[in-house]
Amino acid sequence: MTMVSYRIRSAFLALFFMLALPALAQSVVKFDKEQLVIQTASGQKYNFTVEIADTNEQRQRGLMYRKEMAADAGMIFDFGTSRRVQMWMENTVLPLDMLFVDRAGIVRGIKQNAVPYSRDIIDSVTEVKYVLELNAGATAKLGIKPGDRVVSPSITKYM
């Protein structure tokens, strides 16, 4: 094998692994889904179908590598106990809104338009049990604010 053909082969292998590994990694972690409703203080109700991330492996994977998500979709992270939560957007392609939700389903804080691929820490500041991720802009568009309520089977099973 000549040096030129070796370099070409190496370049093709590197390209293959750059493209194939994220797709393979995403397919390894499976998520259950549930219906979720956000009830605003003004009485509006918004329905979402969310994936549930309630294991360490699922929480670590989250929405990484996803290139699209339906407008009425999202992911709910269940941390098992109430605590201060810190997240980041590394390897996350989609810009997201993050809703920090307490044990009773009350939105305690919102991070709007989290920046894709950022390693900046996004901090709940207060103790929460859940983080709900929606497409960026959803909270502004729908008028969702701290104090609103999130209702889902995952949340109500602890109430």
Side-chain angles (χ1 to χ4, degrees):
M1 181 180 298
T2 68
M3 183 59 84
V4 172
S5 63
Y6 175 78
R7 286 184 179 160
I8 291 171
R9 182 176 168 221
S10 296
F12 278 121
L13 283 172
L15 181 62
F16 170 78
F17 285 117
M18 285 175 50
L19 297 173
L21 287 179
L24 290 173
Q26 180 180 341
S27 66
V28 174
V29 180
K30 300 292 183 194
F31 298 92
D32 289 333
K33 292 183 180 182
E34 69 181 13
Q35 298 303 303
L36 177 143
V37 177
I38 299 176
Q39 300 172 341
T40 68
S42 65
Q44 296 294 318
K45 292 184 181 184
Y46 300 104
N47 297 300
F48 294 88
T49 301
V50 297
E51 293 177 88
I52 305 164
D54 61 359
T55 68
N56 284 333
E57 183 181 34
Q58 290 169 328
R59 286 188 296 267
Q60 288 172 6
R61 171 65 53 197
L63 291 169
M64 289 193 309
Y65 308 112
R66 307 274 182 99
K67 294 182 179 170
E68 58 186 28
M69 184 167 63
D72 65 345
M75 181 173 282
I76 188 164
F77 293 75
D78 182 343
F79 289 92
T81 60
S82 294
R83 63 184 181 90
R84 189 170 174 174
V85 172
Q86 295 182 326
M87 301 179 78
W88 66 358
M89 295 285 289
E90 185 175 30
N91 298 320
T92 306
V93 179
L94 300 169
L96 299 170
D97 286 350
M98 294 181 183
L99 290 75
F100 298 100
V101 182
D102 70 14
R103 179 180 224 37
I106 305 300
V107 177
R108 295 297 174 193
I110 297 174
K111 168 61 177 170
Q112 293 182 323
N113 299 307
V115 177
Y117 301 108
S118 174
R119 288 185 166 186
D120 293 344
I121 298 299
I122 301 167
D123 193 325
S124 67
V125 181
T126 187
E127 288 190 356
V128 296
K129 188 173 183 300
Y130 309 96
V131 175
L132 174 60
E133 292 182 342
L134 304 174
N135 285 303
T139 57
K141 179 181 176 186
L142 303 174
I144 298 168
K145 299 184 176 354
D148 291 346
R149 179 177 296 280
V150 178
V151 179
S152 78
S154 290
I155 294 173
T156 56
K157 73 180 177 184
Y158 295 107
M159 295 176 74

